[in-house]
Amino acid sequence: MPVVAASLICGSSNCSTRRCRAQQADPGGNRIFAVSWQEKDGATVTNVQDYDRGLVHSFATLPDGKFLRMTGPIVVTRPADRVPDDRPERNKASLVLEATTSLFQRHDASAVERLYVADYFQHNPSIPQGRDALQALVAGLSQDVYYEPGLIVAEGDFVAIHGRIRGWANVPQVVIDLLRVEDGKLAEHWDVLQDEVPVTAARGGVPMFDPEEGALQAQLATS
């Protein structure tokens, strides 16, 4: 996170303009953050940092009891010690996308050993436990089975992907798969499947799955 300096203009005629340094706090749902500390001389300071407006509001209680209220602009004084990086999440999303398409589009059973841990844990009650069982399942898939990936979300060690699979059941199904990644491989899997209802029969008039949703997500991410 960047280190910021704020030119604080005191709201009292008894003090002059001063500069202070503070580190950005973690966001709490918006771009307003609060940071507080106590100085060695006993003074307590609370900063409310408003990154939407580029302002910092500082409230200080001095050791003698005097209360100061100050405000001023936020200025970045040096680059962040560590730049936020979403590459790990993107890499995990790519791993899940590769796995779902390798297994359920190309029916490549050899990809299971490469992409899944040896003690792979399965929560789908209709699939036996373990990587070997998954490999056997893929090797025995009907050629009618075909998976279409859609939206994908990665957070920490978990990746969720929304898609549609044909040939798995009597009718196409819309599925959300949740996978846990461990040391660069897939370690655990949950899923929820629902028979697809045609948009013409949907009460809300919108499709359960849109094959273009993945492309839209990529477009929004780069815009």
Side-chain angles (χ1 to χ4, degrees), residues 98-117 120 130-143 145 185:
E98 181 182 2
T100 53
T101 54
S102 294
L103 274 56
F104 301 107
Q105 278 189 3
R106 298 189 292 275
H107 301 175
D108 180 6
S110 67
V112 175
E113 185 174 354
R114 176 169 54 88
L115 301 175
Y116 291 77
V117 299
Y120 172 68
R131 185 172 67 181
D132 292 343
L134 179 61
Q135 192 167 29
L137 181 149
V138 175
L141 284 176
S142 164
Q143 291 302 309
V145 172
K185 291 189 175 184

Side-chain angles (χ1 to χ4, degrees), residues 169-208:
N170 293 330
V171 297
Q173 292 185 304
V174 176
V175 56
I176 294 178
D177 291 281
L178 176 64
L179 296 109
R180 181 173 62 84
V181 179
E182 180 180 290
D183 297 329
K185 291 189 175 184
L186 300 177
E188 194 167 2
H189 171 256
W190 302 257
D191 62 0
V192 178
L193 299 97
Q194 187 177 15
D195 291 349
E196 184 177 28
V197 176
V199 66
T200 53
R203 291 185 177 183
V206 294
M208 296 175 63

